[in-house]
Amino acid sequence: MTDKGSGLTHVRSDGSAHMVDVSAKQITAREAKARGSVLLSDAAIDALRSDNVPKGDALAVARIAGIQAAKRTPELVPLAHPVAIHAVAVDLRVEDDRVEIEATVRTADRTGIEMEALTCVTVAALALVDMVKAVDKHARITDVRVTAKSGGRSGDWTEA
């Protein structure tokens, strides 16, 4: 039983959380994009640009970690539905004081894929911090958010 009055689809009228039944929904193509940043010191940026990170190829490790994380989202986010991941792209761009991470996740399924995109960016950022922590103990993950979604009943949305 969903509490229709509150508009919260994952909360029953008695206040308990539950997984929404999506079995009757149509399968549609869906995409979600998410972004985030890892703020870094000049030394860490220099190490990334010169491919001189002590642990190895930090950007490649972060990219693979993000892809793996997107596929494992339902194990980490309790009410997320397992969805068939059809594509994951993780782009990492080294800027003057940060690495910008953008994930695009695609599926054809019954429910959205925003949690997968957010998990992808977050774990990619965590992996990057782990890779550069010997160079920068103050690396900071910031501004992780969904920037766009398409498909499904609620339609398309893009961050303003």
Side-chain angles (χ1 to χ4, degrees):
M1 249 313 123
T2 299
D3 183 357
K4 301 288 186 196
S6 72
L8 300 174
T9 59
H10 288 74
V11 179
R12 292 187 176 120
S13 58
D14 68 0
S16 64
H18 74 105
M19 188 175 203
V20 173
D21 182 353
V22 297
S23 60
K25 292 175 78 176
Q26 293 291 334
I27 293 173
T28 59
R30 298 164 184 267
E31 178 181 281
K33 292 181 183 260
R35 294 188 72 143
S37 301
V38 179
L39 303 178
L40 295 167
S41 66
D42 291 343
I45 295 294
D46 290 344
L48 287 168
R49 286 185 171 152
S50 65
D51 197 24
N52 197 26
V53 175
K55 284 188 165 184
D57 189 342
L59 299 177
V61 169
R63 184 175 296 107
I64 295 301
I67 293 167
Q68 285 181 310
K71 297 189 296 183
R72 300 190 76 157
T73 298
E75 295 173 33
L76 302 168
V77 180
L79 299 179
H81 290 85
V83 295
I85 305 282
H86 293 125
V88 180
V90 183
D91 296 312
L92 296 105
R93 193 174 62 254
V94 180
E95 302 287 344
D96 290 339
D97 64 344
R98 71 190 63 222
V99 173
E100 289 288 329
I101 303 168
E102 182 173 51
T104 304
V105 184
R106 291 189 186 96
T107 189
D109 217 312
R110 290 179 166 86
T111 191
I113 201 151
E114 297 92 346
M115 292 302 104
E116 287 75 6
L118 287 167
T119 302
C120 179
V121 168
T122 302
V123 173
L126 288 168
L128 182 62
V129 169
D130 181 52
M131 292 296 290
V132 302
K133 68 185 178 191
V135 179
D136 186 353
K137 304 229 182 304
H138 301 286
R140 185 167 35 126
I141 298 168
T142 185
D143 296 323
V144 176
R145 72 228 183 254
V146 174
T147 58
K149 71 163 256 1
S150 64
R153 187 179 63 214
S154 63
D156 299 353
W157 175 85
T158 302
E159 179 180 60

